[in-house]
Amino acid sequence: MNDKPIRVGLVDDHAVVRAGYRRFLELGGMAVVLEAGDADTAYAALGREDSLPVDVLVVDLELPGRSGLEFTRRVRSRWPEARILMFTMHDDSGTVAQCLRAGAAGFVTKSSDPEILVEAVQKVARGQTALSPDVERRLEQAGPAPHAALGTREFDVLNALLDGDSVEAIAHRLRLSPKTVANYQTSIRQKLGVATAVELLQYARHHGLRQ
């Protein structure tokens, strides 16, 4: 990145979290040039420029409205050169695989020390892949979870179901028909080996998708 500071965008719905990590990133010699509390606001801010105004986007997975995963796909579709680091509470192998498949260059958990995030941003800015140590251990210890094999839309529907959204609400949120969402719901249950909403929630808790 030559002598210029790494330009970072923070996308997280908790202002206190953004403020805390902005301080650590700036102490690491970086410049936080974009902050947003949701995916649509962040995308609009990026879109005001002809070229991508940041070197690295640090994105929370769980955002109001569009998820961090949806945002990652959308950004990478418009700006294939975008470098995105996922920053989340989750560390399950299936979610990590889904994020990397979507185009994320790294995955750091919020339980990591701030220095880990700073180092990860530096790696991603250099074009490298960055995983926090706890994620690396999880990937080494466990093979891919069944939800790692879900299609991108299936994974979106899965997360919406785990948020407690109805089929109609999911259809509106993902711009799909209710029938399509219902079909995805059926295929998700088949692939994950669950038959009911309760079993789906148990699966999510077992694999760290939800607390």
Side-chain angles (χ1 to χ4, degrees), residues 5-179:
I6 298 170
R7 300 169 301 165
V8 180
L10 291 175
V11 186
D12 191 295
D13 61 326
H14 293 96
V16 173
V17 172
R18 294 199 309 271
Y21 282 96
R22 180 179 66 242
R23 177 174 176 273
F24 282 108
L25 291 169
E26 290 174 343
L27 286 173
M30 303 174 198
V32 177
V33 298
L34 183 153
E35 285 190 53
D38 62 83
D40 288 342
T41 300
Y43 188 83
L46 294 173
R48 295 192 190 107
E49 304 288 340
D50 293 332
S51 59
L52 203 61
V54 299
D55 300 309
V56 178
L57 278 165
V58 179
V59 181
D60 190 7
L61 187 61
E62 293 187 11
L63 296 169
R66 296 179 193 269
S67 70
L69 190 57
E70 291 177 79
F71 174 71
T72 296
R73 294 194 202 106
R74 192 180 184 196
V75 169
R76 290 277 296 175
S77 176
R78 180 171 177 181
W79 296 284
E81 74 278 14
R83 294 170 179 173
I84 300 174
L85 176 65
M86 305 306 296
F87 187 47
T88 175
M89 292 300 298
H90 300 293
D91 67 350
D92 66 281
S93 59
T95 298
V96 175
Q98 289 285 349
C99 289
L100 297 179
R101 184 188 302 168
F107 197 102
V108 173
T109 61
K110 289 186 175 180
S111 59
S112 303
D113 291 335
E115 292 78 8
I116 298 295
L117 176 63
V118 173
E119 292 173 4
V121 170
Q122 292 169 337
K123 280 187 176 181
V124 170
R126 293 194 297 265
Q128 302 172 338
T129 299
L131 300 175
S132 55
D134 52 344
V135 170
E136 289 183 334
R137 286 193 296 271
R138 176 63 66 92
L139 293 178
E140 290 173 358
Q141 294 170 356
H147 58 277
L150 294 177
T152 55
R153 271 310 190 195
E154 288 176 325
F155 193 70
D156 290 338
V157 171
L158 170 62
N159 277 293
L161 289 169
L162 294 176
D163 287 341
D165 291 349
S166 66
V167 168
E168 291 73 18
I170 296 171
H172 177 74
R173 171 175 163 181
L174 300 180
R175 297 175 176 82
L176 301 170
S177 71
K179 181 178 179 181

